[in-house]
C-alpha cells in the first residue's frame, strides 16, 4: 500500500474507476461481442450454405460462373473449385476462441458436410473449405465478415479515456497534497529553529485550518520562549546583584578558612546561575545559516586542544548544511568538555553515514552504565563517584547537547566505545 497521502488518494480515486472499466469490458465481452460474433458467423455461414446448395442443384458450368460472379459482387466471396480433390483436414470439435467456436457451430448446424476453415490465411482474408461429392470448394472471404472493428475502437476509447482521467486526477491531487507538504516542511523547519515567516495558509479549507492553527501555535511558543528567557534573565540579574555585594564584602574581609570557603561558594553560585541561564536560553534568537560542519568542528577541537585536552580528529567528509552555529558549538563543546573531565584521550570521527552526518566521540574514561545513559540527559542530573562528582558541573552539559541536536532534527546517543570508554554519537540528518 502507498505510504504517502498522494498515493493513497490516487488509489482511492482510481480503484473504483478501474473496477468500473473491468465490469464494462466483461459485460461487453459477455453480451455485445458474443452477440456480434454469433450474428456475423451465422451470416457468413448462411452465405456459404447458399453457395453450396445452389451448386448442388445446378452443377453445370454456366450456373457455376453465375454464382461465382454473384458471390464476388454481392457477398464478397471468392470461389475456387478443385475437382476430384479430397479434403485433407476437417474440423470435428469446436476450436478454441469465441469467433472460431461461433463459426464452427453455425457451419456445423447448417452445412452438414465435412469442412475446414483457416481464419488466419493472411491479415485480411480467411478461408473455408467444404467437401463436395466431386471435389473441394474453397471459399475466400474478407476477415471483416467475422471481426468487427468497433471492438478495438471500444478498447481504445476505454484505455484512452482512462489515461486522460488518471492524468487529470494526478494533477489535481498533487495540487491538493502540495499545501500539506508545505505545512509539514514549515512545522519541521520551525522545530529546528529555521525562520518560517513566509509561510501562508493555502489549499482546502481543512488544510488552511491546520495551517492557521500551526501559525497560532508558532506565535504562542515564540512568546512563551521570549517570556521565559526574559524572566530567567531578570532572575539572573537579580541574583548577580547580591552575589556581587557578597564578593565585595568578602574581599574586604581578612583571609581565613571560613572566608575562603564563602568566596568559593560565591564563585560556584555564579557558575550555576550562568549554567541555568544558558540552559533556559537555548537557541533563543539565533537563526539557522549555511555552515561548514567540518570547519566548525575543527575550530572547537582547536579550542579544546589549547585547554589541554588530548584529541585525535579525523574528518572523512565535510558538509555544509543549515544550522545554528552557536547552538551547535555549545553542543560539541559540552560533549568534549564532558569527555575531558573523565578521560585522558578523546577520538573524534566525522563523516556521512547514508542520509545522516555523524560525529563520533570515543573516550577512554570509565564510561556510563547502560541503565544510567538516559538519566544523564535529564536536567541537573549528576552521576555518582564513578563519574567524578567533585568536578561534574551542575548536570546540564548533556541536556543542552541533546536539546541542541534535537533542535536540528538530530539526536545524541550514548554507546560503549571500542576501547572500553564511552562513545557519544551526534547524528544530524542531511535531508533537513
Amino acid at each position: 500500500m502507498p505510504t504517502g497521502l498522494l498515493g493513497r488518494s490516487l488509489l482511492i480515486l482510481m480503484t473504483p474507476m478501474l473496477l468500473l472499466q473491468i465490469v464494462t469490458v466483461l459485460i461487453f465481452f459477455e453480451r455485445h461481442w458474443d452477440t456480434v460474433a454469433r450474428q456475423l458467423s451465422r451470416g457468413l455461414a448462411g452465405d456459404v450454405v447458399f453457395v453450396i446448395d445452389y451448386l448442388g442443384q445446378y452443377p453445370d458450368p454456366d450456373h457455376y460462373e453465375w454464382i461465382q460472379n454473384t458471390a464476388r459482387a454481392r457477398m464478397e466471396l471468392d470461389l475456387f473449385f478443385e475437382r476430384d480433390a479430397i479434403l485433407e483436414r476437417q474440423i470435428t470439435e469446436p476450436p478454441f476462441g469465441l469467433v472460431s467456436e461461433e463459426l464452427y457451430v453455425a457451419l456445423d448446424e447448417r452445412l452438414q458436410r465435412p469442412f475446414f476453415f483457416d481464419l488466419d490465411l493472411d491479415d485480411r482474408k480467411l478461408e473455408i473449405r467444404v467437401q463436395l461429392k466431386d471435389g473441394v470448394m474453397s471459399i475466400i472471404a474478407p476477415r471483416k465478415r467475422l471481426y468487427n472493428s468497433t471492438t478495438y475502437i471500444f478498447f481504445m476509447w476505454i484505455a484512452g479515456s482512462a489515461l486522460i482521467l488518471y492524468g487529470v486526477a494526478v494533477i489535481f491531487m498533487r495540487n491538493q497534497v502540495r499545501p500539506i507538504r508545505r505545512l509539514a516542511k514549515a512545522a519541521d523547519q520551525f522545530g529546528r529553529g529555521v525562520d518560517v515567516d513566509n509561510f501562508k495558509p493555502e489549499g482546502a479549507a481543512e488544510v488552511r485550518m491546520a495551517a492557521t492553527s500551526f501559525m497560532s501555535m508558532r506565535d504562542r511558543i515564540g512568546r512563551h520562549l521570549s517570556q521565559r528567557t526574559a524572566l530567567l534573565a531578570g532572575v539572573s540579574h537579580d541574583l548577580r546583584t547580591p552575589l556581587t555585594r557578597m564578593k565585595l564584602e568578602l574581599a574586604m574581609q581578612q583571609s581565613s578558612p571560613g572566608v575562603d570557603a564563602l568566596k568559593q561558594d560565591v564563585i560556584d553560585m555564579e557558575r550555576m546561575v550562568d549554567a541555568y541561564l544558558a540552559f533556559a536560553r537555548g537557541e533563543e534568537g539565533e537563526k539557522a545559516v549555511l555552515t561548514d560542519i567540518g570547519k566548525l568542528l575543527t575550530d572547537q577541537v582547536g579550542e579544546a586542544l589549547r585547554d589541554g585536552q588530548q584529541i585525535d580528529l579525523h574528518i572523512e567528509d565535510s558538509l555544509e548544511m543549515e544550522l545554528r552555529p552557536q547552538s551547535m558549538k555549545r553542543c560539541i563543546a559540552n560533549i568534549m568538555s564532558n569527555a575531558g573531565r573523565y578521560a585522558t584521550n578523546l577520538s573524534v570521527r566525522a563523516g556521512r553515514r547514508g542520509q545522516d552526518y555523524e560525529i563520533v566521540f570515543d573516550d577512554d574514561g570509565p564510561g556510563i552504565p547502560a541503565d544510567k545513559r538516559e538519566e544523564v540527559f535529564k536536567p541537573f542530573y549528576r552521576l555518582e563517584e564513578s563519574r567524578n562528582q567533585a568536578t561534574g558541573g551542575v548536570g546540564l552539559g548533556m541536556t543542552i547537547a541533546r536539546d541542541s541536536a534535537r533542535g536540528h532534527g538530530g539526536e545524541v546517543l550514548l554507546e560503549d566505545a571500542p576501547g572500553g570508554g564511552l562513545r557519544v554519537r551526534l547524528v544530524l540528518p542531511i535531508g533537513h
Side-chain angles (χ1 to χ4, degrees), residues 40-56 67 71 75-79 103 106-108 110-117 119 126-132 136-142 145-146:
L40 292 176
S41 298
R42 289 180 177 180
L44 179 59
D47 292 344
V48 171
V49 170
F50 171 76
V51 170
I52 298 300
D53 290 345
Y54 184 85
L55 290 177
I67 193 62
M75 306 176 189
E76 299 181 283
L77 302 179
D78 291 326
L79 307 181
L103 181 59
L107 291 174
D108 186 61
R110 302 183 181 188
L111 194 58
Q112 297 181 353
R113 294 172 182 268
F115 64 89
F116 174 82
F117 56 80
L119 303 185
L126 59 91
E127 181 184 20
I128 301 175
R129 297 174 62 84
V130 182
Q131 179 69 60
L132 304 180
V136 175
M137 176 63 69
S138 177
I139 302 173
I140 307 298
R145 290 292 306 268
L146 285 182

Side-chain angles (χ1 to χ4, degrees), residues 147-189:
Y147 295 92
N148 190 353
S149 61
T150 58
T151 300
Y152 305 101
I153 296 175
F154 174 78
F155 284 131
M156 292 175 62
W157 273 105
I158 286 289
S161 61
L163 291 176
I164 294 175
L165 291 175
Y166 292 159
V168 172
V170 170
I171 294 174
F172 277 94
M173 289 307 303
R174 283 173 62 88
N175 292 335
Q176 295 302 313
V177 172
R178 188 178 294 114
I180 301 177
R181 291 178 175 173
R182 291 178 179 174
L183 174 59
K185 181 179 179 181
D188 177 72
Q189 290 178 333

Side-chain angles (χ1 to χ4, degrees), residues 19 76 116 123 161 214 222 281 307 325 352 411 419 422 426:
L19 292 176
E76 299 181 283
F116 174 82
D123 294 338
S161 61
F214 163 74
R281 184 172 58 247
D307 292 338
R352 298 184 61 149
E411 184 59 276
L422 179 67
L426 173 58

